Amino acid sequence: MSVVLETRNVTRDYIVSGGFMRPARVIRALHGISFALEEGRTLAIVGESGCGKSTLARILTLIDPANSGDLLIEGQKIDITARKVTPDLRAKIQIVFQNPYSSLNPRQKVGEVLTEPLIINTKIPAAERRARAEAMLEKVGLQAAHYNRYPHMFSGGQRQRIAIARALMLNPKILILDEPVSALDLSVQAQVLNLLKDLQDEFDLTYVFVSHDLSVVRYFADEVMVMKDGEVVEHTSRDAIFADPQHEYTRTLLAATPVADIEKIRARQARRRALFESA
Amino acid sequence: MALLKIRNLTVEFETATGLFRAVDSIDVDVEQREVLAIVGESGSGKSVSMLAFMGLLPPTARITADEMMFDGRDMLTMSARDRRAIIGHDISMIFQEPISSLNPSFTCGYQVEEVLARHLGLSGKAARTRALELFDSVGIPEPERRLNSYPHQLSGGQCQRVMIAMAIACKPKLLIADEPTTALDVTIQKQILDLLMALQEEQGMGLIMITHDMGVVAETADRVSVQYQGKKLEEADVLQLFENPQHPYTRALLAALPENATGDRLLTVADGWEGQL
């Protein structure tokens, strides 16, 4: 197993304007994040809103640069401020966003959505672009006939399949999934998670799965990295984090996640019955 | 006596392609001091049925029901004026997006005092004192300062607490919470759910929890009603529902929970159920 994605001490600052006659402030969103991810594995990044998990996802996808620290893809150091991102590099790492209602352009047909990455990054001729897009639609559980439809004609789950198809068009090695199922209904969520697992097996993909839902993470991830206020508080295997969380904050997160547990329901019912009978 | 009794509620919307039936002959019952959870996916009509009961739907909605009794009073034949006196006083509602359900142009304190003035006739110092008490009881830190804050100055969790303060301002008999924690982080979700349950137990009010999260159902409800495409498929005691779900859709929904995953893939609702209705 080789390490395909690695960060060393990555930091990111945002400058917030202070308003009229006030100095701008610097907010450090990431305080030195380091991790290494092996090929074919799934790393879940967990934390509350504002903990820097999406900032990290954007740095990994080469959308935003890090302020300091190194990002390594397949052992190669990448600095997008020094050199423009090459099409080869773009083809290695892609992203799926949280909300499929806003991540697809409503004026683009599905076919245009899927072929655009090929037009920008490759010299593949039009006929083959179309063939590849149609094949990809079938791979993600849609039909080739959907090529000429607009995003509004699809449900949320289908749109997320389109967004996943778009991310896979360049045959990436690494896929960043920024809360890919949190905007979806429970029944659709299961389908999309299954699809992602199927695709991972088929294309040998490496996933970085950003999420705040620990029950999904428990099912989906191999290793879990818990973040708080721009820092990693715990990074270990999935089994270890759920069986024996080391950090206080991880325990708080686990305790706060609602679970459908029969024994817990029984205890709660008994307590409520006693309370209302005494009243 | 039941707190709320709705029989055969149907809501239809006029659309370009004809009538769309969002809620299809649904019965809702809530006993005194009971927590009823209404679960369903988007489009199952779980919010629309409650909005219809509250009279909050636009005039294009056609609402019909055989019976709508709240606390011994008939809401169907009641005049709009009488209904307005009950809504916000004896029945109140909190919504999914706390930041967008508050008015951005007024302070949080003003918005709570508005409710107190409208329903209890409190004004001036009396209203301010009561608003302060309410902010304190829903666990807003530094309540004096927060009375003068605008919604954008507070976090999502704090805004939801302000909404809850407004909702319980008149000690309602029934509180309807429409996905109260969906937009919030898990740790904040826990705090808000704990707060709602504590208030429910303390004031003995009825609570309708509209949600799509089975975990939230398991941690709050006494009884559960499962809806799908405007129809009620199953209603059961919460323990029974999780231990022994009767309807195939409910079984499929529970099997699709990631924590119930057996083996490598999740069962989806489609494999488990589609076409059996």
Side-chain angles (χ1 to χ4, degrees):
Chain A
M1 283 284 190
S2 60
V3 172
V4 286
L5 184 65
E6 190 175 355
T7 64
R8 291 181 193 151
N9 256 323
V10 163
T11 66
R12 170 80 198 176
D13 297 334
Y14 286 111
I15 295 165
V16 185
S17 104
F20 183 63
M21 295 293 280
R22 281 188 205 159
R25 284 185 305 141
V26 174
I27 290 183
R28 177 148 284 199
L30 295 177
H31 297 261
I33 305 289
S34 307
F35 71 86
L37 182 60
E38 284 173 357
E39 190 174 359
R41 286 176 68 84
T42 303
L43 167 71
I45 302 178
V46 184
E48 291 179 50
S49 50
C51 74
K53 57 192 196 296
S54 289
T55 302
L56 182 60
R58 291 174 71 86
I59 290 173
L60 296 177
T61 329
L62 315 174
I63 298 172
D64 289 334
N67 285 88
S68 68
D70 298 324
L71 170 65
L72 291 89
I73 295 176
E74 293 182 322
Q76 252 187 317
K77 222 180 249 188
I78 312 287
D79 182 2
I80 63 169
T81 50
R83 272 182 59 209
K84 262 184 95 174
V85 182
T86 60
D88 279 352
L89 204 48
R90 276 274 181 253
K92 277 188 190 150
I93 188 157
Q94 288 285 321
I95 187 165
V96 177
F97 293 101
Q98 173 172 11
N99 191 340
Y101 289 84
S102 56
S103 68
L104 298 173
N105 184 344
R107 288 165 182 260
Q108 263 186 333
K109 288 180 180 171
V110 171
E112 295 167 56
V113 171
L114 297 189
T115 49
E116 200 172 9
L118 298 178
I119 297 173
I120 296 171
N121 292 298
T122 67
K123 291 200 174 79
I124 295 172
E128 201 195 329
R129 286 202 299 264
R130 182 173 179 130
R132 283 199 191 186
E134 286 176 348
M136 187 56 77
L137 280 173
E138 281 174 3
K139 202 127 270 173
V140 297
L142 297 170
Q143 293 158 24
H146 291 150
Y147 188 86
N148 276 322
R149 294 198 189 165
Y150 285 98
H152 75 259
M153 300 160 100
F154 295 91
S155 67
Q158 288 175 316
R159 283 184 212 212
Q160 198 60 296
R161 288 172 192 264
I162 297 169
I164 292 168
R166 170 177 62 186
L168 292 176
M169 282 309 285
L170 292 167
N171 289 324
K173 297 220 130 179
I174 306 160
L175 206 53
I176 312 291
L177 304 160
D178 190 357
E179 309 233 12
V181 293
S182 55
L184 304 178
D185 271 322
L186 180 61
S187 59
V188 183
Q189 172 180 309
Q191 294 170 6
V192 172
L193 288 174
N194 284 345
L195 170 69
L196 287 169
K197 281 211 163 183
D198 292 341
L199 294 169
Q200 182 168 37
D201 292 349
E202 186 171 345
F203 298 109
D204 209 9
L205 292 163
T206 307
Y207 284 154
V208 175
F209 185 86
V210 177
S211 180
H212 66 267
D213 187 339
L214 284 166
S215 50
V216 173
V217 166
R218 181 177 214 159
Y219 162 71
F220 199 73
D222 298 314
E223 44 193 287
V224 182
M225 186 162 101
V226 182
M227 285 179 67
K228 184 173 197 279
D229 299 334
E231 280 173 276
V232 175
V233 299
E234 193 164 355
H235 179 181
T236 171
S237 77
R238 170 193 56 186
D239 295 338
I241 218 147
F242 286 99
D244 183 24
Q246 294 301 311
H247 196 276
E248 185 58 47
Y249 180 68
T250 315
R251 281 196 283 269
T252 312
L253 272 185
L254 280 171
T257 306
V259 282
D261 179 64
I262 305 271
E263 285 315 308
K264 265 179 98 174
I265 298 174
R266 225 176 240 137
R268 186 173 62 81
Q269 275 192 327
R271 190 186 60 80
R272 278 175 68 83
R273 219 169 280 135
L275 181 86
F276 286 136
E277 268 161 21
S278 69
Chain B
M1 180 185 55
L3 183 61
L4 175 70
K5 185 175 173 192
I6 298 177
R7 286 287 168 275
N8 204 11
L9 173 71
T10 297
V11 183
E12 290 169 321
F13 291 94
E14 202 107 38
T15 64
T17 51
L19 274 186
F20 173 72
R21 189 167 280 198
V23 178
D24 195 352
S25 349
I26 276 185
D27 298 345
V28 186
D29 290 277
V30 182
E31 297 297 320
Q32 308 273 0
R33 294 192 300 208
E34 187 183 38
V35 182
L36 170 73
I38 303 182
V39 209
E41 302 175 36
S42 48
S44 62
K46 57 192 193 301
S47 299
V48 173
S49 54
M50 283 303 112
L51 290 172
F53 163 65
M54 295 277 282
L56 294 176
L57 287 175
T60 50
R62 285 197 205 160
I63 303 162
T64 54
D66 294 346
E67 198 179 349
M68 257 199 227
M69 296 290 283
F70 171 73
D71 204 23
R73 279 180 291 182
D74 187 356
M75 301 281 285
L76 265 183
T77 52
M78 190 179 283
S79 71
R81 195 194 180 86
D82 289 345
R83 184 200 279 255
R84 278 202 302 277
I86 293 182
I87 287 170
H89 188 286
D90 291 330
I91 311 170
S92 56
M93 190 159 182
I94 53 177
F95 300 93
Q96 179 171 357
E97 286 286 337
I99 298 174
S100 53
S101 32
L102 289 168
N103 189 330
S105 332
F106 296 100
T107 62
C108 296
Y110 176 86
Q111 295 183 54
V112 176
E113 285 166 32
E114 199 180 6
V115 179
L116 296 170
R118 172 71 182 76
H119 289 289
L120 302 178
L122 293 179
S123 61
K125 235 186 199 140
R128 180 109 309 207
T129 318
R130 179 75 184 121
L132 193 63
E133 276 171 31
L134 285 166
F135 270 36
D136 207 34
S137 67
V138 296
I140 295 175
E142 299 181 78
E144 297 89 352
R145 202 159 70 83
R146 290 303 174 208
L147 281 176
N148 294 317
S149 297
Y150 288 90
H152 75 268
Q153 294 170 315
L154 305 181
S155 66
Q158 298 299 336
C159 280
Q160 196 59 289
R161 285 177 195 267
V162 174
M163 283 298 293
I164 294 172
M166 276 166 81
I168 61 161
C170 307
K171 293 214 159 64
K173 293 179 179 136
L174 176 66
L175 178 64
I176 303 172
D178 186 358
E179 308 248 5
T181 56
T182 306
L184 306 173
D185 275 322
V186 272
T187 46
I188 312 296
Q189 161 166 296
K190 169 126 178 80
Q191 292 169 13
I192 295 290
L193 290 179
D194 287 350
L195 170 67
L196 278 174
M197 293 314 288
L199 289 168
Q200 190 271 334
E201 284 170 6
E202 192 183 298
Q203 305 195 355
M205 60 187 174
L207 178 63
I208 298 181
M209 185 73 84
I210 301 173
T211 182
H212 66 271
D213 187 333
M214 291 309 249
V216 171
V217 174
E219 304 222 335
T220 57
D222 294 325
R223 208 151 43 80
V224 188
S225 157
V226 182
Q227 288 191 15
Y228 180 77
Q229 290 187 349
K231 293 190 182 66
K232 180 155 88 179
L233 300 184
E234 178 169 4
E235 185 170 322
D237 173 79
V238 61
L239 192 62
Q240 270 172 24
L241 187 96
F242 281 96
E243 255 184 347
N244 187 15
Q246 294 301 310
H247 197 281
Y249 174 73
T250 317
R251 280 202 288 272
L253 209 56
L254 288 173
L257 283 174
E259 58 253 46
N260 291 349
T262 51
D264 202 27
R265 293 291 184 272
L266 288 167
L267 271 171
T268 69
V269 170
D271 325 323
W273 175 68
E274 204 97 305
Q276 287 185 45
L277 189 72

